[in-house]
Amino acid sequence: CVEFPAGEASISFMSEFELIVEDDCKVLPLDEGVDELNIAEFPLAVFSQRPKGSEVVYKNQVFCKKTRQSITRSLTISAGNGNKLPTPFDSNVVLGLLQYYDRIDEDKYQEISLREVATVLGLDTGGRTIKRIKESINLWFEIGLTYENAWFNARDKRWEDAKFRIVDAVINNEDSYKIRWGREFLQSLEANYVRPLNLELFRSVNNPLAQTIFRYLDKKFYRQNKLDYDLENLAFNHLGIPLNNSTRDIKRRLKPALEILEDTSSVPRDP
């Protein structure tokens, strides 16, 4: 269920789902889906039809048990030559591409079908959609990601700084594409830093904001069944809703997305 407690600038989520410990993470068959855990933490998009500016910075404060100090983790998304920041559609394209990473060859290229990417995301396979997916892949070749103390190196089991493009190379051959993931992202996939993702539920949600909330909560509910957030922090730093929204506007934007999640049982209703 979802609650807006007495402090109107906060929000709580409660889950009745069975908790899954991190050690149980594994790659499931592609029809069940996977999500890479680093890109589920911070949004890879700005929830605006025309994102303004050449970069956006997302931050999160966490308490380090080892040093007993507060640590800031951040992601900076930098636009390329076209000065375009990614939208929720572009973020979903990365998720669609991710479902076929078992096709990576010995040269580290992954062959993809644009129509398969559309299908796995629940989109139509018409010419306009295929063109938009092509544009998105090319955009990711230009977008720079800078993680400061926020990229978890699953191979070495440590947090670190990382700066890379999520798509490092693109080869286009009619309807078929080959991409090469950025080195850091590929290493994360090879280290199996992924979690199962219910693609059927993801597609049924059919709302970009609800899908982003679904992916974020899916990651966070594996160890606890209640999550409390400052509303503005959640909306901007983890969902990508622009900071120029008031508390009332944030609630207004979240309400239909949360109702969709409740209707699909992605977030349980109040008893």
Side-chain angles (χ1 to χ4, degrees):
C1 64
V2 182
E3 294 179 350
F4 290 103
E8 64 174 32
S10 61
I11 186 171
S12 295
F13 297 94
M14 284 163 283
S15 173
E16 297 170 357
F17 306 144
E18 180 181 357
L19 302 185
I20 305 174
V21 297
E22 193 167 27
D23 291 342
D24 291 336
C25 296
K26 61 180 181 178
V27 179
L28 296 182
L30 290 178
D31 58 340
E32 297 185 50
V34 294
D35 202 356
E36 199 276 340
L37 287 165
N38 280 303
I39 64 172
E41 179 66 27
F42 289 114
L44 289 184
V46 179
F47 271 85
S48 174
Q49 290 185 346
R50 295 180 179 84
K52 296 180 180 180
S54 59
E55 69 175 31
V56 60
V57 181
Y58 299 121
K59 295 182 179 181
N60 188 30
Q61 292 286 129
V62 297
F63 181 76
C64 177
K65 293 182 180 179
K66 184 177 181 180
T67 62
R68 301 190 64 79
Q69 293 180 334
S70 180
I71 297 175
T72 299
R73 306 195 194 282
S74 69
L75 165 64
T76 300
I77 304 176
S78 303
N81 295 331
N83 205 34
K84 291 177 61 178
L85 290 170
T87 66
F89 183 95
D90 300 309
S91 177
N92 282 353
V93 167
V94 172
L95 180 66
L97 295 171
L98 178 59
Q99 304 315 306
Y100 302 102
Y101 79 89
D102 65 331
R103 298 178 181 176
I104 295 174
D105 61 26
E106 60 183 13
D107 295 321
K108 305 301 183 181
Y109 279 91
Q110 172 183 322
E111 186 168 357
I112 58 171
S113 162
L114 302 179
R115 286 183 169 78
E116 284 181 335
V117 173
T119 300
V120 81
L121 293 175
L123 306 172
D124 68 80
T125 57
R128 182 176 297 181
T129 301
I130 298 303
K131 179 182 177 182
R132 182 65 182 86
I133 293 174
K134 286 182 181 179
E135 292 172 349
S136 182
I137 293 173
N138 291 329
L139 176 67
W140 284 115
F141 179 68
E142 297 183 0
I143 293 291
L145 302 179
T146 302
Y147 287 83
E148 295 187 26
N149 200 26
W151 184 261
F152 187 73
N153 184 325
R155 183 182 58 187
D156 298 333
K157 306 297 181 185
R158 68 186 184 194
W159 293 95
E160 58 188 22
D161 297 345
K163 187 174 183 178
F164 59 93
R165 291 176 300 187
I166 204 162
V167 173
D168 191 50
V170 180
I171 298 177
N172 178 14
N173 181 18
E174 296 180 356
D175 187 41
S176 180
Y177 261 59
K178 280 188 175 183
I179 66 167
R180 187 175 65 210
W181 296 108
R183 182 172 63 90
E184 288 78 6
F185 190 72
L186 179 59
Q187 287 177 348
S188 189
L189 297 180
E190 292 175 339
N192 202 31
Y193 194 51
V194 298
R195 280 185 58 77
L197 181 72
N198 188 324
L199 280 175
E200 183 178 354
L201 257 181
F202 177 85
R203 287 189 292 261
S204 70
V205 169
N206 197 28
N207 174 288
L209 182 54
Q211 288 172 336
T212 301
I213 297 171
F214 174 67
R215 290 176 65 188
Y216 181 69
L217 293 183
D218 186 65
K219 174 185 178 180
K220 292 299 181 180
F221 272 138
Y222 74 90
R223 279 184 177 169
Q224 51 194 328
N225 57 14
K226 184 176 181 181
L227 301 168
D228 298 308
Y229 292 99
D230 171 82
L231 187 61
E232 185 177 282
N233 178 49
L234 173 72
F236 177 67
N237 288 310
H238 298 291
L239 304 181
I241 297 174
L243 274 175
N244 57 3
N245 284 263
S246 66
T247 298
R248 178 180 296 180
D249 288 338
I250 292 172
K251 288 184 177 181
R252 178 180 54 80
R253 296 189 68 168
L254 285 177
K255 188 171 184 287
L258 294 173
E259 288 176 347
I260 291 172
L261 289 173
E262 289 182 328
D263 288 341
T264 58
S265 299
S266 301
V267 174
R269 289 184 179 276
D270 287 315

